[in-house]
Amino acid sequence: MSGIDREIFLDSRHLAKHLPDTPQSNRLLRRGRAAHVFNNEATLFRVAEAIIEGGAHTGFARGYDRYGLLFSEAIGVRISPDRSTLPLFYGEVKIDADNQYHPVPRTRPSEE
């Protein structure tokens, strides 16, 4: 079975760090960490909907239940602290213990 078959709720606190040129994503870069950002807000919501409807459960890692889906077109980019970029084709929805979720663009499924 694919998709998420339980009631989940969007956790909007994490969205800004996954959007380009926000204070939250820029803070990650200033701190020497990579930022994984969607192309835009519309893509973020489109990816989340696609994963909720048809994503595969990839397991539980670092406190989150995870579902993912590979896309044929880039959904975002990984921006390194040196500002180099890598296109991202994999989307993941992370669900916490309170059934709150947020989408993340990634290079591949998360591992423990």
Side-chain angles (χ1 to χ4, degrees):
M1 180 168 156
S2 62
I4 301 171
D5 62 354
R6 67 182 197 242
E7 190 171 15
I8 58 175
F9 308 93
L10 180 64
D11 186 352
S12 59
R13 296 174 300 162
H14 298 283
L15 300 183
K17 69 182 168 186
H18 297 298
L19 292 172
D21 298 318
T22 61
Q24 294 85 343
S25 62
N26 289 331
R27 182 178 17 196
L28 290 170
L29 298 170
R30 280 195 314 275
R31 292 181 176 174
R33 297 183 58 201
H36 294 75
V37 297
F38 287 98
N39 293 332
N40 52 47
E41 189 173 14
T43 302
L44 179 151
F45 288 113
R46 179 179 57 81
V47 167
E49 184 177 319
I51 295 169
I52 290 167
E53 291 177 5
H57 185 252
T58 59
F60 189 84
R62 295 182 301 284
Y64 290 93
D65 204 15
R66 296 167 187 263
Y67 291 78
L69 191 61
L70 185 64
F71 292 83
S72 60
E73 295 181 15
I75 59 171
V77 293
R78 179 187 186 275
I79 307 169
S80 295
D82 68 2
R83 299 295 178 164
S84 63
T85 61
L86 175 70
L88 301 174
F89 294 86
Y90 187 80
E92 186 172 76
V93 163
K94 297 167 56 172
I95 306 171
D96 68 14
D98 296 322
N99 287 321
Q100 294 188 62
Y101 77 92
H102 68 278
V104 181
R106 298 190 44 85
T107 55
R108 65 184 187 285
S110 289
E111 299 172 353
E112 191 60 45

